[in-house]
Amino acid sequence: MSFDLDCTVQPGDRPIRASFSSNARLTALVGPSGAGKTSVLNAIAGTLHPISGRIVAAGEVLFDSAAGVDLPPEARGAGYVFQDARLFPHRRVLANLTYGEKLARRAGWIGRDEVVDLLGIGHLLDRWPATLSGGEVRRVAIARALLCAPRFLLLDEPLSSLDAEKAERLAALIERIRDEISVPILLVSHSAEEVERLAEQVVTLT
Amino acid sequence: MLTPAEWSIILLSLRVSIVAVLLTLPLAYALAWLIARRRFPGRMLLDAAIHLPLVLPPVVTGWLLLLLLGRGGPIGGWLDRTFGVTLVFHWTGAAVAAAVMALPLMVRAMRLSIEAVDRRLVDAARTLGASPGRAFFTITLPLSAPGIAAGAMLGFARSLGEFGATITFAANIAGQTRTLPLAIYTGLQLPGGEGAVARLAVISIVLSLGALLVSEWLVRRSQGSRAHVL
């Protein structure tokens, strides 16, 4: 099972119930803004504690309130690409990339050179995050997530705010990861076109 | 120019202030982190207790130190019996008094810089495989470093000027606890001491202004650096 969720999270005033299971290689999570899509990703990554329920990703139980299971974020194996990238401002691009790579608990499925090449960020390695453009920041964030040897990927609006050409290149890359590497992907998107192209299963959060 | 006695006063003041800051630094950062990042019962009380030396008359702080750390006090008596260490009438006592008075300012500066570290960066570090400890040492600590430096300079400046708690707790002993402010006060009591008072006062102003400027520069540098460095 790629993802199997039945949990309630409450990041704000209103509790959000997420219940779905998917065996697809790439599952899209859609819904109106404020429906709690990002909160669901946070709950899977372990940075937001559900009130109750159960979360299974890539065949491993990450959270189960009934059984008392609650893995810390560092033990969950999420490759999380945040919507706001969250590059570390005090580390150059290369040091951002190697941060998770050095801490990986299992063999990675892609090498650093390959990731750098794939995302076209070789010329950025010595730069500080504050000097990068929006598209460059996004690509570095994706590379950083791929390099921590994740068991599954959480992509939060990875193509938004990119120009058409860059978005196309990234979409092609996501397709390659989907088709060539057996890592389940959960994608949050508000673009119907993007979902249509990439997702094998669509989950709607209301 | 300065006389040898005046030089020794300046060196004593610097030694007392530097030791006071180094003594307080880890404790101040730990307290700042607790108050900035943790919610626990008694947090408000702890915050208030840390700020107490800022609002209490320094003489009261000195008297409380005397009760606790004097030779007859619970902690002071233990130090005396166990290690043969006496803080009262000794420069280490002046350093302790300065440390207590500097603590609130240092905690404030550090707390602000810790609160300014985006927690989402810590979350990102955790998802990349960092334990809470590693995330602290690789993200929170380096990103709040300018606040540590600014807090240290502020604490240093405060320690240099410490008078009331020092004279109450450690007394006014030449060569041991007579720091710049105490020496200036003593000079004012003596006929013909005006020249020495003026020279020491100028030194005080220069040192304090220097510490404040360095502290300000550190804060500004940290705010601007990441946008400009390349």
Side-chain angles (χ1 to χ4, degrees), chain A residues 7 123 195:
Chain A
C7 67
H123 61 296
V195 170

Side-chain angles (χ1 to χ4, degrees), chain A residues 74-105:
Chain A
E74 63 268 26
R76 294 192 177 200
Y80 194 166
V81 178
F82 302 93
Q83 197 180 351
D84 52 356
R86 304 192 195 177
L87 298 185
F88 303 132
H90 58 307
R91 290 172 167 253
R92 290 176 196 263
V93 168
L94 180 62
N96 264 279
L97 294 183
T98 55
Y99 189 93
E101 192 183 13
K102 284 177 184 159
L103 297 172
R105 298 169 181 218

